[in-house]
Amino acid sequence: MASIVGAVTTSHIPAIGGAIAKKRQDEPYWKPFFGAFAKAREWLARVRPDKVVVVYNDHGLQFFLDKMPTFAIGAADEYRNADEGWGLPTLAPFRGDAAFSWHLIDSLVAEEFDLTSCQEVLVDHAFTVPLQLLWPTGCTLPTVPVMVNTVQHPLPSPARCLKFGAALGRAIASWPGDMRVLILGTGGLSHQLEGTRAGFVNPEFDRMCMAKIVTEPAALGGYSIRELVALAGTQGTELLNWLVARAALGGRVSEVHSNYHIPISNTASGMMVLENSV
Ligand code: DHB
Ligand code: FE
């Protein structure tokens, strides 16, 4: 049986990838963001995952507005990155584990989640940047991309994402062999990139989410998408990825580390390391 070592949630802003490429991590603008990841990496060295399930939203690299699955999972042995137009260097392909992915897909479909299975996925900044933050010299662990539609309305509700995450956790746990799985949930926190509210952030709401995600995630499941957009911004809906990651851990969790810093680019950046409580 596989075990879930814990979850890391982090913002996935493309500018972070730019700062990594230009080695700007210690500059005053970037230090309050990058500084927090040393602790997350120390924790990773302790818990030693051997697979990473990355819950994120594609931003138009793999799926465009014409075809948008609500939930999709990669089932390949390799995932390529490609130019999205942010000026980021294209990274070397990431390892996958098709057999493990198909196990997750089988389990989730059996639990009545109607997924899109993808035997090829171009992974965007929402996948690559968080992996670079956790493995600055390159992530060599096999990965599974899990994509949630946080882009093209109608989006899955927070309550649905909690249910999907819980089923994902059960699917991981039911893998018959030994495996130590890290869940990585990316995106958020509050941000809005377009329209008259461009630049909108909501620290009070973000801090409430970071507290409730530990103690009472079901309370976050009570928000509608309309409320989430109003409170967190049009791209603040990326919180859905955090909810999937949190719910995959199951019942009670403890917060190992967290960081919150405004702004990185247009976004209120958040990072958490969560572990199951015994
Ligand atoms: C920004 C944030 C995002 O989540 C994203 O996907 C792209 C850009 C930003 O703040 O620049
Ligand atoms: Fe995003």
Side-chain angles (χ1 to χ4, degrees), residues 12-14 17 54-64 68 79-86 88-92 94 121-132 145-148 150-151 184 186-187 238 241:
H12 62 215
I13 306 153
V54 188
V55 183
Y56 71 104
N57 59 289
D58 178 77
H59 297 73
L61 181 68
Q62 176 57 59
F63 303 121
F64 200 61
M68 184 60 72
Y79 301 103
R80 284 186 305 113
N81 177 221
D83 185 5
E84 299 172 63
W86 294 105
L88 300 176
T90 298
L91 301 179
F94 291 79
V121 182
L122 284 179
V123 288
D124 77 359
H125 66 274
F127 178 99
T128 61
V129 164
L131 288 173
Q132 284 181 286
V146 176
M147 290 153 280
V148 179
T150 71
V151 172
L184 181 53
T186 89
E238 291 175 351
N241 304 324

Side-chain angles (χ1 to χ4, degrees), residues 82-114:
D83 185 5
E84 299 172 63
W86 294 105
L88 300 176
T90 298
L91 301 179
F94 291 79
R95 288 175 67 198
D97 179 340
F100 180 47
S101 286
W102 282 117
H103 168 80
L104 300 182
I105 293 164
D106 282 340
S107 309
L108 285 159
V109 171
E111 289 215 37
E112 301 181 355
F113 284 93
D114 304 317

